[in-house]
Amino acid sequence: MGRVRNPKRSISMELKFVDPRSLKDNPDKARRSKSSPQADALLLATIKAVGIVQPPIVAAETEGGNGFVIDEGHRRVKQAIAAGLEEVAVLVVPRAEDGGAMRSLVTTIAHEQLNPVDQWRAIERLVALGWTEEAIGIALAQSVRQIKKLRLLANVLPAMLDHMAKGDMPDERQLRAIAAASLEEQKEVWKAHKPTKGDPQVSWWAVANGLAKTRMYARDASFGDDLAQAYGIAWVEDLFAPADQDSCYTTDVEAFLGAQQEWMTQHLPKKGVIAETNNWGEVKLPPKAERVYGTPKKSDHTAMYLDREGKVKTVHFRMPEAKKKGKAAEEAGGADETRVVSKPRPNVTRKGVEMIGDLRTDALHEALSRAPIEDDTLLALLVLAFAGQNVRVDSGAGGDHSYGRRFPRHAATLFDAEGKFAFDTDTLRIAARGVLIDVLSCREGMSKSGVVALVAGSAIGADGFLANMGTEDFLSCLSRPALEGSCADTPVLPRARVKDTRAALVEHFKEGHFVHPAALFAPAGAGLAEWLAKSAVTEDEDDDVPDAESVEGEGQVVDGDPADEFDEGYRDAAE
């Protein structure tokens, strides 16, 4: 049987300084495979920078020799020779009965690389002691970019860091999304996804997904530093991206798109237009335009637009030739030419339109709840509400529409405890207001009532219930001309940078109240006239409408698709 040595028995050691070239390899060493060139380069650079931190362990040769055999630290000795060191410190221990084979194996297996969290903490300690990132990179043979990447962990919530230190680490993409978020945002997401006793693992995908923000990259920007500064865009470098890639980005999407739009306006060709895209990201050309896929002619037009990633794209198109006029027409007005008018950037972005819809709806519902409304006006509004584009009433005369919203809770208030249809005037008023609040909406999407909601809001003074729009969120949705126009009737003067103008307006309206004209409820005359024309009942249609007493079946209210993406009344006000 082999002898088992007592691990608790102390081993006498002696520190000596020797020429590394005189040390001999141990034939019983555990590591036989060659280390990678990258690992050797890292160790060499570390030795050159700070020397050998942990002395190699050696033992005296067997009988007949007067040198030392390496038990531990073969790579350190090899790289010390490569670094040109004349002398290194070694720890001399008694020769083991097995030639040091067990000691070599144990120490090789026991070595474990620091996890990223411990590496970051050690680097932060070095920085606190006066080390620069460059010096740390040289000492560790790592790039400054890698040191900066590790230092991003300083932006991670301490509770997350403690969990990562246990070995449950997110991947680089997830860590990038987490580190880019604020500590408050991380705290909220961590509450929902932190580990529990029953599930100690963290879904880093869910954490990163909850913190991810849309990024607009500098490499996709057509504008230069002047517009970036004007729109207050601060580029942030993505330290997790490949080193040879321009990874600077911003999460201020509205500012990025605004600068791109202004650049297109400034660089629009003579026969150019700024176009929009459809829901699939395809460019929307003017009516009757034919896209040119080959080499364009001088007479062709150019359309510039932004794709889904915010990049400026250019396509060419051709308009149909105009029909020749008669001689009299030519003498009177000359030849007829097809003209393409460039559509300027809207004063209010899509996000701003959605915010206006939300603010209008909140104000409208507040007015319906609290504003004084005459009974005849209330009944008229009920009739008006059911003409909204988000509502359809099925009489039962045809079709089965069982889907949609109903309003039983309001109708139920009109019945007494015995189930009789009995109510007083106050109960009726409350029920009518409740139905109006459920039906009338200015929000974008399927619930939008259209121009009728604007008429209703105007009739009951809902403008007075609109919230303050002089906020960073809303003002960031305005174009530069619209933002500078908001300075009218205020002591705020437009600044060179859009960001500074916006900040000054936010500060001015902090204690005040600002409502953008596009949010007011009065509908434009053209939009209302068009709706009235579409909704007018002709004499023939009037003959087909049955009397109220002859209608059978119970009506039901359902949500419908909006007739248009924007109501014409709002579009005129916004542009």
Side-chain angles (χ1 to χ4, degrees), residues 215-230:
R215 295 184 174 191
M216 311 304 289
Y217 286 91
R219 61 177 178 265
D220 297 332
S222 297
F223 57 86
D225 293 339
D226 53 343
L227 282 178
Q229 185 177 6

Side-chain angles (χ1 to χ4, degrees), residues 273-339:
V273 298
I274 296 177
E276 296 179 349
T277 57
N278 57 23
N279 294 333
W280 296 274
E282 299 172 346
V283 62
K284 293 164 62 176
L285 296 176
K288 300 182 181 181
E290 179 184 353
R291 183 166 176 175
V292 177
Y293 290 95
T295 304
K297 299 179 181 179
K298 289 184 178 181
S299 59
D300 290 338
H301 301 266
T302 302
M304 300 176 75
Y305 67 98
L306 297 178
D307 65 6
R308 289 182 172 180
E309 296 178 351
K311 299 178 184 177
V312 175
K313 297 291 186 179
T314 302
V315 296
H316 301 281
F317 63 94
R318 190 170 298 154
M319 298 301 296
E321 294 183 3
K323 296 180 180 180
K324 293 184 178 180
K325 287 187 175 184
K327 186 174 181 180
E330 289 182 1
E331 292 177 355
D336 185 16
E337 297 181 358
T338 302
R339 299 182 63 188

Side-chain angles (χ1 to χ4, degrees), residues 216 292 348 375 495:
M216 311 304 289
V292 177
V348 185
D375 289 347
R495 271 60 163 179

Side-chain angles (χ1 to χ4, degrees), residues 206-217:
V207 173
N209 192 53
L211 295 170
K213 295 181 180 178
T214 302
R215 295 184 174 191
M216 311 304 289
Y217 286 91

Side-chain angles (χ1 to χ4, degrees), residues 14-80:
E14 182 183 1
L15 183 65
K16 284 191 175 184
F17 289 89
V18 299
D19 184 346
R21 297 163 190 79
S22 67
L23 300 176
K24 299 177 182 178
D25 282 349
N26 187 345
D28 294 318
K29 65 181 180 181
R31 192 187 299 275
R32 299 300 180 92
S33 57
K34 288 186 177 182
S35 53
S36 67
Q38 294 83 1
D40 287 341
L42 170 61
L43 182 56
L44 176 60
T46 302
I47 291 174
K48 286 182 177 180
V50 297
I52 295 181
V53 178
Q54 183 178 0
I57 296 177
V58 300
E61 284 187 284
T62 55
E63 295 179 4
N66 58 358
F68 296 100
V69 177
I70 304 169
D71 264 9
E72 235 185 90
H74 292 80
R75 291 182 60 240
R76 278 170 275 166
V77 172
K78 181 180 178 181
Q79 297 308 321

Side-chain angles (χ1 to χ4, degrees), residues 46 49-50 53 114 117-142 147 150-151:
T46 302
V50 297
V53 178
L114 288 176
V117 176
D118 288 337
Q119 290 182 47
W120 161 71
R121 286 172 173 158
I123 289 172
E124 290 299 298
R125 175 61 179 160
L126 290 173
V127 172
L129 292 172
W131 285 72
T132 64
E133 291 177 343
E134 291 75 12
I136 295 172
I138 293 172
L140 301 181
Q142 296 187 15
I147 302 302
L150 285 170
R151 296 198 70 194

Side-chain angles (χ1 to χ4, degrees), residues 26 52 59 62 104 114 123 148 175 200 214 302 307 357 369 381 410 422 431 490 516 568:
N26 187 345
I52 295 181
T62 55
S104 175
L114 288 176
I123 289 172
K148 289 180 179 291
L175 183 58
T214 302
T302 302
D307 65 6
S369 298
L381 290 177
H410 303 301
T490 73
H516 194 274
E568 292 296 327

